[in-house]
Amino acid sequence: MHIRRLWAGVVCAVLVSCGPASGDAGGAGPSEVGEAPATAPAAHGPLFLGPGDCSGRGRTDVREVPCTSEKAAARVIARHDGRRRDGPACPAATDFVLHISEHRPEFDEDGDGSVPRGYACMRNLEPPHPGDPGGGGGPHTVVGDCLHTSGKGQVKETPCDGSGAHRPEFRVESAVDERSRCPGSTDLFVELPVGDAPVGCARRL
């Protein structure tokens, strides 16, 4: 019996200091969902973590470092102002997303001690690349990714090579502009947040 569902999407962030074996999202930890914050120092240049800049390793208080430094772990492949939910999507090759905020600013709209300044789409300088097809993580689901069921009507990414905590059950084989264009062998419909074809056609493994 074929399962036909539409996945609403799960945002997964991967900390550069973690490997893929620690969770389905390539190292996001037990929660599997989250985003790594970065804080722009007040004395920094006009654009903290601009396109082409690199960040160091670490789970909190991420710092910009020279890309030639031994401390460099990931590079900015796209940078946008404002809140991520209101801005452009990160490129498909993104491994994780850094939300950039300024602490103790002159104006704090909600009184939480920080103001969002934008977000950086990051790509690890070295493998693993959880954002790649089959990598088991990244902020987007793309063709070539594998999925496992995580609850009624929900699926999450997991590495196709079986290195994650969950066995892959489906693979996204193609992308189309509407469900009716998926092959007859399709077992699962998946929402693809980037690209011109928003429906992924997944086959059970």
Side-chain angles (χ1 to χ4, degrees):
M1 177 177 179
H2 292 301
I3 300 174
R4 297 186 181 273
R5 306 171 188 161
L6 179 64
W7 180 45
V10 176
V11 176
C12 298
V14 182
L15 295 175
V16 295
S17 60
C18 298
S22 61
D24 291 345
S31 67
E32 297 184 346
V33 179
E35 290 163 348
T39 303
H44 207 273
L47 186 61
F48 174 65
L49 284 178
D53 290 340
C54 291
S55 68
R57 296 177 175 83
R59 291 176 178 268
T60 60
D61 195 22
V62 178
R63 298 290 179 176
E64 182 178 313
V65 298
C67 291
T68 54
S69 169
E70 62 180 10
K71 296 181 180 179
R75 186 187 304 272
V76 181
I77 60 175
R79 173 75 154 78
H80 303 291
D81 294 330
R83 298 179 183 274
R84 182 182 172 194
R85 65 172 179 263
D86 301 323
C90 284
T94 302
D95 286 331
F96 64 100
V97 179
L98 288 177
H99 282 232
I100 299 166
S101 62
E102 180 181 341
H103 289 303
R104 298 185 184 139
E106 293 182 2
F107 175 74
D108 182 359
E109 58 185 5
D110 57 8
D112 66 352
S114 67
V115 168
R117 296 300 186 195
Y119 54 100
C121 311
M122 309 297 294
R123 172 87 173 170
N124 291 336
L125 294 179
E126 298 179 355
H129 294 291
D132 284 354
H140 307 304
T141 299
V142 298
V143 173
D145 277 341
C146 290
L147 311 165
H148 74 92
T149 54
S150 62
K152 187 176 181 180
Q154 293 185 331
V155 291
K156 290 183 179 180
E157 289 186 42
T158 190
C160 288
D161 62 7
S163 62
H166 297 274
R167 179 180 62 84
E169 300 176 53
F170 302 91
R171 187 194 305 270
V172 182
E173 301 288 351
S174 59
V176 296
D177 56 1
E178 57 184 44
R179 289 190 184 194
S180 62
R181 296 184 181 275
C182 281
S185 59
T186 300
D187 296 309
L188 185 76
F189 300 110
V190 183
E191 181 179 316
L192 304 181
V194 293
D196 297 329
V199 180
C201 313
R203 179 177 58 84
R204 184 179 290 278
L205 299 175

